[in-house]
Amino acid sequence: MGIKNLMKLIQASAPAAVKEITLKELLGRKVAIDASMTIYSFLVAVRSSSDGAPSANLTNEAGEVTSHLQGIFSRTIRLMEHGVRPVYVFDGKPPTLKSGELAKRKEAKEKAKIDLEAAQARIAAAGEDDAEAAKEAVAEAEKLAKRTVHMQGSHQEEAKHLLRLMGVPVVEAPCEAEAQCAALAKAGVVWAAATEDMDTLCFGTPRLLRRLTFSEARKLPVWEISLPKLLADLGLSMDQFVDVCILCGCDYLEPLKGIGPVKALERVRKHGDLAAVIEALREEGKVPVPEGYPIDEALRLFHEADITDPETLRGDIKWTAPDEAGLVEYLVDQKGFNADRVRNAIERLKKARAKGGQKRMDSFFTMGAKAKAAPAAKKGAAKPKSAAAKPARRTSASVKAGAAAAAAAAAAAASSAGTASPVAAEPSGAVVAAPSTGPASPAATPAEGPAGRSAPEAAATPAPVFFAASRPKPAASKRSSEDMDSAETSKAKRAK
DNA sequence: CTCGTCC
DNA sequence: TCGTCTGGCTCAAGACGAG
DNA sequence: TGAGCCGGACGAC
């Protein structure tokens, strides 16, 4: 899943697009979560071992798997206790161009299954005689079992049922959940998409949250990746960014031998767009490009992804009171959960709902902007990717001097643009080069904050910092909606 | 903090 | 020679609380 | 499955 090595590329060439944030900063935020990935990770991780045997998922007495329910239940409550308002987005039908990728995964899974059976046979054969061999076989079976984890439709349906009982909104995407998450974020229906899948950036989410898992500060901080900032620092338009990602290797298209992230970026900067890059590669003849290499279709999947118009979902995305009796009946009676724990959790959930429901100060601004933007939203049918889009600026130096210089140049250019006006930092409104269904208009993307906010920060740093793990806090800058986010209530009071 | 439990 | 890509390898992918 | 690490291949300079 995702774009190969994209995170590395970002860390090398646009590190400032990634910000470490705490859960506190997500208070009151609506966040779209890819449900399938979440469920899958719970199925893999939530296991329990019993005396010597390889670990297995949690189950009720009837043998039905409950790991995903346990995981979703506790994580959702935990998030809501921090004031996060999660929306779970479920996959629909996968696009046909993905079938190659899916077939590959299926094959790998079947192989793992065969290996697993072999390992299990070895466990049995080793018996008590050879404790050493048995232990080894168990360890191997353990790993293989995780590789054979297969998510079933029933798991998804059960998760939906649980979430609905909890009063947490569920969205059923027509196709890929990632695309729907991005559309929701782009339209401002949610504040960000939370997923590990970097594809979501290609689908145009203005904000991507990674590592929104885990409890409190116990582990790693959450990463917020800003798309406008990323584009500015890379010096790419949205279209060009997608081009780079496709060249790096995505689920839809085999990557080209000899082209990695560095060359992908270099090439797109040099030639302007994907079609031109491919053409040049064919002419040069050094990198083999397959005959019917379907770049147009891959482009279409990203630019015109099959999604439900976020505006039609806006009204349904609500956090309602949990159905307490329903939850007890489902989790305790049907799935064998501990009654006390469930009741306790429900109490926490009810309290948590109140916390997340508090209106953020900036919601006022957001709504104002949206109201104005709405009429303008209906744009004409999507242009077939304007190849005419000028290659933003091609520094010939960057090709020569490598990523470091390129990043420096890009960062400098971006920050100077950014300080002039927060809006200008959003490159050409490319972020909202919406798919045909996309209702988003530039102004409807609320609080394109990160670009505006971190631009001054970058300007204040004379030399480019490549692994800026700990950057100084940005000084409070101009008042805009995003400043309210970080400054919270104290700022709000002063503003009064 | 580690380790065992959740179902 | 250096930078970049590749292929093989490994590991870990949850949340919680009792002690 | 992805992400980090590493020895080796290969092309650019």
Side-chain angles (χ1 to χ4, degrees), chain A residues 223-295:
Chain A
W223 277 342
E224 177 192 328
I225 303 176
S226 158
L227 181 59
K229 179 85 179 120
L230 178 58
L231 296 178
D233 288 6
L234 291 176
L236 298 175
S237 69
M238 181 62 197
D239 286 352
Q240 288 176 318
F241 173 69
V242 174
D243 293 347
V244 169
C245 289
I246 290 175
L247 280 170
C248 286
C250 65
D251 286 352
Y252 305 137
L253 214 50
E254 285 297 314
L256 299 170
K257 299 276 177 204
I259 303 288
V262 174
K263 290 191 178 160
L265 185 56
E266 208 175 276
R267 288 289 185 158
V268 170
R269 279 181 177 153
K270 186 170 166 193
H271 299 114
D273 73 8
L274 180 56
V277 172
I278 296 294
E279 194 183 336
L281 289 175
R282 284 210 167 105
E283 264 172 39
E284 292 166 25
K286 292 182 180 164
V287 175
V289 182
E291 204 42 41
Y293 200 57
I295 57 169

Side-chain angles (χ1 to χ4, degrees), chain A residues 9 11-15 233 262 265-266 269 395 397-412 463-467:
Chain A
L9 176 75
Q11 277 167 337
S13 302
D233 288 6
V262 174
L265 185 56
E266 208 175 276
R269 279 181 177 153
T395 50
S398 67
V399 179
K400 210 185 304 175
V465 185
F466 288 117
F467 292 94

Side-chain angles (χ1 to χ4, degrees), chain A residues 74-91:
Chain A
S74 54
R75 181 181 290 178
T76 303
I77 293 173
R78 179 57 75 194
L79 283 173
M80 289 180 69
E81 281 184 323
H82 282 89
V84 178
R85 290 191 276 175
V87 185
Y88 283 87
V89 181
F90 288 78
D91 276 313

Side-chain angles (χ1 to χ4, degrees), chain A residues 388-441:
Chain A
K390 296 177 192 103
R393 132 189 44 97
R394 83 177 84 126
T395 50
S396 59
S398 67
V399 179
K400 210 185 304 175
S415 61
S416 60
T419 41
S421 141
V423 182
E426 184 183 320
S428 67
V431 186
V432 285
S436 50
T437 31
S441 75

Side-chain angles (χ1 to χ4, degrees), chain A residues 183-205:
Chain A
L184 288 167
K186 200 156 72 174
V189 175
V190 299
W191 185 75
T195 171
E196 300 310 301
D197 191 341
M198 301 293 285
D199 279 3
T200 316
L201 286 171
C202 293
F203 288 119
T205 186

